Amino acid sequence: MTTAAETTLSGKNRRSALLAGFFGLCMLGMGYAAVPLYEVFCRVTGYGGTTQRVGEAQAATVKATNRVMSIRFDSNVNSALPWTFKPEQAVDHVSVGARDMAIYIATNESDQPVLGTATFNVTPVQAGKYFNKVQCFCFTEQLLKPGQTMRMPVLYYVDPAILEDPETRDIEEITLSYTFYRSKDGKAVDPAKSDS
């Protein structure tokens, strides 16, 4: 026969176990949500040099200013990807707010078709939230056939709001940097961090 004290203790243990289980499920859910939430945070704030993605309609409403800024284009290729990849022009000078296009050129140096995906950022990182891409090869994977060379455009503009922000108004040059990786199932594959 159980006493009232044992019944109370058993109820407390059950409640503690349920709370611990609920807490564990919440933590698991937060673990799965962390990556997409971090990506949204970076896109909204430009954190870490993350650029913004905008549509044609929004880009058409932006007015160019008289302020000219240098945009430097950087390119890198992961060692697992048998491509050469470089900007057609290393530096461009654009009016803040004006749409401009940069071209990158990629060549598959192998005898096999290869799928690649590009990661990107801008420096200084504070400029990320003002660097807007309208169209970019980095939005999708790129397939290059053996020996194929492809011209890859980036249509972009620098938001005039960069001139109002005390942290960014004195910036005179932004570097747009891309790194191409071999793609596997829609994800960039870095062999240094992969078991396969």
Side-chain angles (χ1 to χ4, degrees), residues 36-170:
L37 289 174
Y38 181 73
E39 288 175 356
V40 168
F41 170 77
C42 289
R43 274 197 308 270
V44 169
T45 64
Y47 181 76
T50 303
T51 62
Q52 307 303 301
R53 184 174 178 177
V54 297
E56 288 282 349
Q58 182 179 344
T61 65
V62 178
K63 302 276 190 249
T65 67
N66 293 329
R67 171 85 177 273
V68 174
M69 189 173 284
S70 297
I71 308 296
R72 182 171 299 281
F73 303 102
D74 179 54
S75 61
N76 304 282
V77 179
N78 180 268
S79 61
L81 187 67
W83 289 8
T84 56
F85 173 62
K86 62 182 187 223
E88 194 170 68
Q89 183 177 337
V91 179
D92 198 3
H93 301 280
V94 300
S95 294
V96 172
R99 280 197 276 181
D100 201 39
M101 182 181 292
I103 303 289
Y104 280 79
I105 300 169
T107 301
N108 180 356
E109 302 291 348
S110 77
D111 59 357
Q112 301 290 319
V114 180
L115 191 62
T117 188
T119 60
F120 55 87
N121 71 329
V122 298
T123 51
V125 294
Q126 304 93 310
K129 63 183 174 182
Y130 300 111
F131 197 95
N132 295 282
K133 292 182 191 173
V134 181
Q135 295 175 7
C136 183
F137 61 86
C138 60
F139 295 161
T140 59
E141 295 175 319
Q142 302 297 320
L143 176 65
L144 293 181
K145 296 176 184 171
Q148 180 183 6
T149 295
M150 183 185 295
R151 296 178 82 235
M152 301 179 179
V154 181
L155 184 60
Y156 69 94
Y157 68 91
V158 178
D159 189 328
I162 196 170
L163 304 175
E164 309 297 322
D165 186 336
E167 291 185 18
T168 59
R169 65 180 166 218
D170 295 327

Side-chain angles (χ1 to χ4, degrees), residues 13 25 106:
N13 287 343
L25 286 173

